[in-house]
Amino acid sequence: MKILTWTFFALLLLIQYPLWFGKGGWWEVWELQSKIDDQLVTNKNLEDRNSAVRAQISDLKTGLDEVEERARSELGMIGSGEVFFKTIKKRDLSDQNSSEKN
């Protein structure tokens, strides 16, 4: 009777091994689920970035405010009817005066 019990136990282990560790087993399913979760997070971040870019493109197509803002910040442009004042620090003036004397 003991031999029959041990035989059934060994067969049970042989049947369970592919379920847990074989191709398509629980271990592989767990690893794939982990990869899917990571990819979902990456996709969410990319979707957020894409929606921000879409909004920026929409602003550029419809309104001049975004174009004007970019021209001012990136290109240093000045609007018509505006006056540009450049302030110079005192230290810069003293450096300039000393270079003129030489």
Side-chain angles (χ1 to χ4, degrees):
M1 188 71 170
K2 281 188 173 184
I3 295 174
L4 187 61
T5 305
W6 284 107
T7 305
F8 283 135
F9 183 70
L11 288 174
L12 181 66
L13 288 178
L14 288 173
I15 291 171
Q16 288 291 316
Y17 181 80
L19 177 66
W20 290 97
F21 303 109
K23 185 176 181 179
W26 286 108
W27 185 259
E28 186 177 349
V29 169
W30 179 77
E31 286 178 347
L32 290 175
Q33 187 63 44
S34 175
K35 287 180 183 179
I36 289 171
D37 293 341
D38 293 342
Q39 189 63 46
L40 288 174
V41 169
T42 302
N43 289 351
K44 177 65 176 149
N45 292 338
L46 291 174
E47 285 174 2
D48 292 344
R49 187 184 74 181
N50 287 346
S51 65
V53 169
R54 279 191 208 99
Q56 194 173 27
I57 289 171
S58 175
D59 286 346
L60 287 172
K61 285 182 178 178
T62 58
L64 296 177
D65 293 334
E66 181 71 23
V67 174
E68 183 178 345
E69 180 183 335
R70 281 187 172 247
R72 287 176 186 272
S73 65
E74 294 178 9
L75 302 175
M77 299 184 98
I78 303 169
S80 62
E82 294 179 344
V83 179
F84 177 71
F85 292 95
K86 183 175 182 178
T87 58
I88 301 174
K89 296 178 184 177
K90 286 186 177 184
R91 190 178 89 221
D92 293 341
L93 286 175
S94 63
D95 291 343
Q96 186 179 15
N97 289 336
S98 64
S99 65
E100 288 177 0
K101 290 180 184 178
N102 292 333

